[in-house]
Amino acid sequence: MIKQEEVYRIGRLGKAHGVKGEVSFQFDDDIFDRVDADYLFLDIDGILVPFFMEEYRFRNDTVCLVKFCDIDTQQRAKELTGCDVYFPRALAEEAEEQPSLSMLVGFNIFDTSNGKTIGRIAALDDSTDNILFELEDGTLIPANDELIEDIDTEQQIIKMNIPEGLLEI
């Protein structure tokens, strides 16, 4: 059984499209197109289930239509509406030099200026142009390349030089 730590969320399925089983997929990370992966994991009632992709086509920069194998009717596609979509970390790590921001959810942030672990990233706040790491305790830290010194994907640690006073805001 696949564990939550072995995958990361890349989007959510929307409505069924047409009568042949296609479903809209709103994605935050297009890793599924950049890496040769035949499947995605869908969260169905808390269980990560692999679904093999038959084909997909982009509608715009954040939405595509996906046809999964063995999902051949509009009714079957409707059953998938609202499912979160996940991608295997191992495949992403093999293919990319620099991990995407979506992949960093679940990583711990280590502050190199004081030698302490600040917390674990629970989500990304991309509601503005300045993307923020949202930690489990609600702390927000800018996901700025100038602050990030190193990313260790094996240990799931981001080493950052956090300016003095930023955490007190």
Side-chain angles (χ1 to χ4, degrees):
M1 187 161 141
I2 190 82
K3 296 177 184 171
Q4 191 72 36
E5 304 83 48
E6 297 173 11
V7 296
Y8 68 100
R9 186 182 180 281
I10 61 169
R12 180 179 214 109
L13 294 182
K15 295 190 233 175
H17 181 81
V19 295
K20 296 188 178 184
E22 278 187 317
V23 64
S24 66
F25 171 32
Q26 184 166 7
F27 55 90
D28 304 319
D29 187 340
D30 66 351
I31 186 76
F32 65 95
D33 187 49
R34 293 179 283 133
V35 173
D36 189 23
D38 298 328
Y39 59 92
L40 299 171
F41 287 97
L42 303 184
D43 183 344
I44 299 180
D45 297 328
I47 299 171
L48 294 170
V49 180
F51 277 77
F52 286 84
M53 293 182 290
E54 197 170 295
E55 62 183 4
Y56 60 89
R57 56 192 163 104
F58 290 93
R59 296 203 64 181
N60 58 43
D61 289 343
T62 60
V63 176
C64 71
L65 298 176
V66 179
K67 171 75 175 75
F68 291 109
C69 295
D70 300 325
I71 305 296
D72 298 326
T73 65
Q74 185 179 32
Q75 182 59 34
R76 296 270 329 263
K78 281 182 180 180
E79 294 170 6
L80 302 177
T81 297
C83 288
D84 284 331
V85 181
Y86 293 85
F87 194 81
R89 287 187 188 276
L91 287 178
E93 289 170 3
E94 287 175 12
E96 291 193 27
E97 307 83 37
Q98 188 73 350
S100 67
L101 288 175
S102 298
M103 188 178 162
L104 300 178
V105 173
F107 280 40
N108 285 308
I109 294 181
F110 178 82
D111 186 357
T112 57
S113 65
N114 66 14
K116 296 181 180 177
T117 299
I118 303 304
R120 186 170 181 228
I121 301 171
L124 291 176
D125 180 348
D126 59 359
S127 59
T128 66
D129 286 338
N130 296 320
I131 299 172
L132 302 169
F133 293 130
E134 184 177 336
L135 302 185
E136 290 175 338
D137 66 0
T139 303
L140 298 174
I141 298 176
N144 187 312
D145 285 341
E146 293 176 15
L147 301 179
I148 298 173
E149 293 181 359
D150 185 45
I151 299 173
D152 184 340
T153 55
E154 283 186 30
Q155 299 292 321
Q156 295 191 347
I157 295 173
I158 302 170
K159 293 180 181 175
M160 298 183 76
N161 187 356
I162 299 174
E164 187 177 329
L166 181 69
L167 298 175
E168 284 78 43
I169 296 175

